[in-house]
């Protein structure tokens, strides 16, 4: 009789423990899905803003045109539209601090360039996707919110020393050379803290080679005699002689888990 | 008799009411009218002494943040050199904005904004992207002797020319405008490179992005700890809700 009671109580405990663990693991996988969604949203919002900066080159560099689409709420509105077209889905809700901050920092970066963009006596303003990206990274770093974005590529021949990859990024890019897919790491570390990291490769396109390719592709050399060609691109950097088959680098995004939860 | 009683009663009532009102006004005076003196340093476009103070975005932001605390806020414009002394002596309670070169100054816990150094060029010699560091090779770049120079510049092969004296910044800009220098290192070019500034129309400035210095709001060591905590907590809440940097960037 007593033995039966003990047996029943053990059974009940086992059932309870099983339910408890399945609930916890269900919660964990739900958290993981949510974290993955957040980091994906952030990558796509960021990519859309780069695309919009690329599309706005003529507005940025022209004299005496209306440039209000590049600032404040109008800028965000245009990024939202770019996003819808690029990914064929609705722009994600800013339901997370990291997304909200990203949108604010984008507005701040454009405002930092406002005087320059409105300066009619300067032709090429140097506000291109890559410089916008590094300004955004730098500004985000001052916010202390545990979100890091970096536009990077393999260390050798890096243009801006501040874009240098860390060990995780270098290792991931090594893998990318054979499999150029989005890489996702749920159990990474960032500055010693648990973080989710994602690396999205940027496919090389013919337009990249106007700056990163060979002098023959440099728009500054068009119509000039070969002896007059420059190896410096319009942004002031030595061209790297990349080809369309080279690895273009990519976007590395990390969020500390403490921020995501 | 009865009418006398009545009026007597109402006199007592009115005296009582008067005493209550008086006590309340004394009480509210006690709690609300603590004067906080806010020292301001000219730091365009955040604080601009050349125009009405109400148009300065940093003034607007801090004023709106602190007003609900019920203090009487008094603003005092101060020259940069004297400002810290006034703060240390307690003649102002709050001082803004200050880039934190002076580590010993007590400040509110979060920076209010960040200042990014850069180079100012004559427009025809403008270099927009300063990470293209070799473009600075062999240029003669004026540097105010008192300024800390960022790695972005020291790593270059530019010839750095120290400019000494109190007015080093203005002289450096003047020299660049006249073509005596190829460029001038400014700890915060946003102060001079804006459309409202008539002084340096021939110059344009670019930035060493990634080399920002936090700029803080200083607090007098004489300010009671209780008041500091109240101001600091309110400030932190405001910054988290909408940072000053975003407020500044999204203004009309």
């Amino acid at each position: 009789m007593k033995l039966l009671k003990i047996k029943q109580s053990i059974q009940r405990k086992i059932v309870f423990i099983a339910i408890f663990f399945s609930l916890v693991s269900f919660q964990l996988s739900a958290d993981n899905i949510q974290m993955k969604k957040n980091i994906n949203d952030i990558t796509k919002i960021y990519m859309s803003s780069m695309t919009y900066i690329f599309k706005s080159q003529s507005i940025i560099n022209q004299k005496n045109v209306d440039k209000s689409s590049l600032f404040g709420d109008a800028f965000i509105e245009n990024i939202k539209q770019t996003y819808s077209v690029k990914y064929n889905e609705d722009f994600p809700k800013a339901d997370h601090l990291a997304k909200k901050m990203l949108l604010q920092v984008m507005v701040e970066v454009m405002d930092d360039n406002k005087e320059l963009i409105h300066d009619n006596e300067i032709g090429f303003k140097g506000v291109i996707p890559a410089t916008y990206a590094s300004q955004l990274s730098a500004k985000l770093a001052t916010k202390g919110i545990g979100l890091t974005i970096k536009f990077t590529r393999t260390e050798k021949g890096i243009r801006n020393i501040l874009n240098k990859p860390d060990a995780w990024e270098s290792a991931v890019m090594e893998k990318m050379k054979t499999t150029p897919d989005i890489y996702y790491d749920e159990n990474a570390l960032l500055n010693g803290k648990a973080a989710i990291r994602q690396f999205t490769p940027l496919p090389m396109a013919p337009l990249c080679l106007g700056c990163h390719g060979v002098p023959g592709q440099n728009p500054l050399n068009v119509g000039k005699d070969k002896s007059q060609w420059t190896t410096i691109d319009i942004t002031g950097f030595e061209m790297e002689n990349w080809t369309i088959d080279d690895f273009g680098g990519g976007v590395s995004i990390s969020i500390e888990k403490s921020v995501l939860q | 008799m009865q009418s006398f009683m009545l009026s007597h009663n109402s006199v007592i009532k009115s005296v009582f009411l008067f005493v209550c009102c008086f006590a309340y006004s004394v009480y509210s005076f006690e709690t609300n009218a603590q004067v906080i003196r806010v020292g301001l340093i000219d730091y365009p476009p955040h604080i601009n002494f050349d125009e009405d103070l109400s148009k300065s975005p940093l003034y607007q932001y801090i004023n709106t943040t602190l007003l609900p605390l019920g203090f009487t806020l008094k603003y005092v414009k101060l020259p940069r050199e004297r400002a810290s002394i006034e703060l240390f002596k307690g003649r102002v309670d709050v001082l803004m904005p200050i880039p934190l070169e002076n580590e010993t100054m007590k400040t509110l816990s979060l920076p209010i904004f960040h200042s990014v150094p850069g180079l100012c060029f004559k427009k025809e010699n403008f270099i927009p992207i300063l990470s293209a560091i070799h473009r600075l090779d062999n240029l003669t770049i004026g540097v105010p002797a008192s300024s800390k120079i960022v790695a972005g510049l020291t790593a270059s092969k530019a010839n750095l020319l120290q400019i000494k004296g109190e007015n080093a910044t203005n002289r450096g800009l003047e020299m660049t405008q006249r073509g005596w220098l190829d460029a001038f290192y400014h700890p915060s070019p946003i102060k001079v490179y804006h459309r409202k500034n008539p002084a340096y129309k021939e110059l344009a400035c670019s930035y060493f992005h990634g080399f920002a210095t936090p700029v803080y709001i200083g607090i007098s060591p004489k300010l009671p700890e209780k008041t500091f905590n109240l101001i600091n907590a309110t400030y932190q809440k405001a910054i988290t809700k909408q940072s000053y940097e975003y407020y500044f960037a999204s203004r009309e």
Side-chain angles (χ1 to χ4, degrees):
Chain A
M1 187 65 192
K2 206 175 172 190
L3 211 70
L4 191 77
K5 262 195 180 160
I6 292 175
K7 214 174 150 190
Q8 274 177 345
S9 124
I10 289 177
Q11 267 174 354
R12 250 183 269 136
K13 276 186 187 138
I14 289 174
V15 168
F16 174 76
I17 290 170
I19 291 175
F20 177 76
F21 275 106
S22 59
L23 274 177
V24 167
S25 64
F26 179 72
Q27 182 57 37
L28 277 180
S29 71
D31 280 353
N32 271 343
I33 290 170
Q34 191 54 40
M35 286 199 283
K36 219 167 171 169
K37 185 184 173 320
N38 278 329
I39 204 162
N40 265 323
D41 284 351
I42 287 173
T43 305
K44 290 197 293 195
I45 295 172
Y46 175 78
M47 292 291 204
S48 305
S49 72
M50 298 261 267
T51 306
Y52 184 66
I53 293 290
F54 174 72
K55 285 203 306 197
S56 305
Q57 283 304 296
S58 74
I59 299 182
I60 290 172
N61 294 317
Q62 264 176 57
K63 291 178 190 178
N64 296 320
V65 294
D66 178 17
K67 306 196 175 201
S68 55
S69 59
L70 299 166
F71 305 101
D73 290 344
F75 183 60
I76 298 302
E77 220 27 70
N78 285 308
I79 292 172
K80 288 183 176 172
Q81 275 178 23
T82 311
Y83 183 103
S84 309
V85 173
K86 198 174 162 83
Y87 298 105
N88 201 15
E89 63 185 39
D90 284 344
F91 191 79
K93 287 204 179 72
D95 53 1
H96 190 277
L97 175 74
K99 283 186 241 178
K100 197 177 130 200
M101 283 306 282
L102 177 62
L103 294 177
Q104 294 196 357
V105 170
M106 286 172 172
V107 169
E108 291 175 24
V109 166
M110 291 314 285
D111 191 72
D112 287 346
N113 291 294
K114 202 172 199 170
E115 291 304 328
L116 176 61
I117 288 176
H118 283 104
D119 193 328
N120 279 331
E121 287 157 79
I122 303 281
F124 177 65
K125 311 285 203 285
V127 182
I128 58 169
T131 52
Y132 162 85
S134 58
Q135 290 182 39
L136 193 99
S137 305
K139 199 165 252 294
L140 212 46
T142 67
K143 302 285 178 188
I145 55 155
L147 168 65
T148 313
I149 299 187
K150 202 198 278 177
F151 187 38
T152 187
R153 87 177 276 274
T154 39
E155 189 166 348
K156 201 175 145 283
I158 200 114
R159 286 191 166 198
N160 183 345
I161 190 85
L162 300 177
N163 298 337
K164 214 171 77 177
D166 66 11
W168 183 90
E169 287 155 343
S170 294
V172 170
M173 282 190 279
E174 208 41 57
K175 283 184 202 149
M176 295 243 145
K177 286 182 179 163
T178 46
T179 35
D181 285 329
I182 295 180
Y183 185 89
Y184 187 75
D185 186 348
E186 294 165 28
N187 297 305
L189 284 178
L190 185 75
N191 307 322
K193 292 185 191 137
I196 281 203
R197 305 192 65 170
Q198 181 182 306
F199 194 102
T200 311
L202 199 69
M204 186 71 80
L207 72 97
C208 312
L209 303 175
C211 293
H212 295 287
V214 292
Q217 292 161 309
N218 188 344
L220 295 178
N221 293 334
V222 171
K224 284 189 186 152
D225 189 76
K226 219 170 175 174
S227 62
Q228 308 283 306
W229 281 5
T230 169
T231 55
I232 307 283
D233 75 11
I234 187 171
T235 65
F237 282 89
E238 189 74 36
M239 298 180 79
E240 291 96 337
N241 303 325
W242 292 356
T243 71
I244 197 78
D245 301 319
D246 276 318
F247 175 64
V251 174
S252 167
I253 298 192
S254 318
I255 312 182
E256 283 170 23
K257 282 189 181 169
S258 58
V259 176
L260 273 175
Q261 276 150 10
Chain B
M1 187 66 186
Q2 216 182 17
S3 74
F4 171 71
M5 285 276 287
L6 248 181
S7 67
H8 188 176
N9 251 350
S10 58
V11 167
I12 290 175
K13 260 188 202 158
S14 14
V15 168
F16 179 67
L17 252 171
F18 174 76
V19 169
C20 282
C21 287
F22 183 72
Y24 176 72
S25 66
V26 167
Y27 169 74
S28 56
F29 184 76
E30 266 292 291
T31 51
N32 291 344
Q34 183 181 348
V35 174
I36 297 288
R37 287 148 303 175
V38 183
L40 301 171
I41 298 170
D42 192 31
Y43 199 118
H46 302 289
I47 296 287
N48 192 349
F49 284 3
D50 289 338
E51 57 182 27
D52 194 66
L53 193 57
S54 65
K55 290 193 182 139
S56 288
L58 182 55
Y59 161 84
Q60 293 165 352
Y61 184 85
I62 291 300
N63 199 51
T64 316
T65 304
L66 297 186
L67 263 185
L69 294 179
F71 299 126
T72 301
L73 299 168
K74 290 217 164 109
Y75 292 91
V76 195
K77 295 179 182 172
L78 292 170
R80 177 76 189 92
E81 313 76 51
R82 220 183 66 215
S84 321
I85 302 169
E86 298 289 300
L87 187 73
F88 283 118
K89 292 203 166 154
R91 287 200 284 257
V92 290
D93 305 300
V94 175
L95 179 64
M96 65 183 195
I98 21 179
L100 212 60
E101 300 132 5
N102 186 348
E103 299 289 332
T104 55
M105 189 179 282
K106 185 174 179 183
T107 64
L108 294 183
S109 54
L110 296 171
I112 180 77
F113 62 88
H114 290 79
S115 114
V116 185
L119 294 180
C120 298
F121 303 85
K122 241 178 127 79
K123 284 188 181 172
E124 60 260 37
N125 305 325
F126 185 62
I127 298 178
I129 303 173
L130 297 181
S131 52
I133 197 163
H134 47 269
R135 286 204 67 186
L136 306 178
D137 288 359
N138 305 321
L139 297 190
T140 301
I141 298 179
V143 176
S146 57
S147 286
K148 223 172 80 190
I149 310 171
V150 289
L153 181 57
T154 46
S156 79
K157 292 194 192 110
N159 307 313
L160 302 185
L161 186 77
Q162 293 238 336
I163 300 180
K164 298 195 177 107
E166 264 182 30
N167 220 0
T169 306
N170 287 345
R171 272 192 300 129
L173 291 168
E174 201 64 47
M175 287 163 80
T176 312
Q177 195 148 258
R178 291 181 183 203
W180 299 346
L181 290 171
D182 295 314
F184 178 70
Y185 176 80
H186 199 298
S188 187
I190 191 177
K191 287 185 185 177
V192 286
Y193 183 39
H194 54 90
R195 277 158 289 170
K196 283 189 198 154
N197 183 0
Y200 304 112
K201 283 218 174 302
E202 290 148 52
L203 301 183
C205 312
S206 46
Y207 291 85
F208 286 106
H209 294 287
F211 296 94
T213 316
V215 177
Y216 284 87
I217 294 181
I219 297 289
S220 169
K222 302 256 161 82
L223 189 74
E225 203 55 24
K226 209 176 118 193
T227 316
F228 167 78
N229 288 337
L230 181 63
I231 293 179
N232 197 37
T234 310
Y235 170 76
Q236 276 189 345
K237 222 190 254 169
I239 291 262
T240 321
K241 200 166 156 217
Q242 187 192 48
S243 73
Y244 170 68
E245 287 179 328
Y246 181 63
Y247 172 79
F248 179 79
S250 46
R251 77 203 188 285
E252 281 305 305

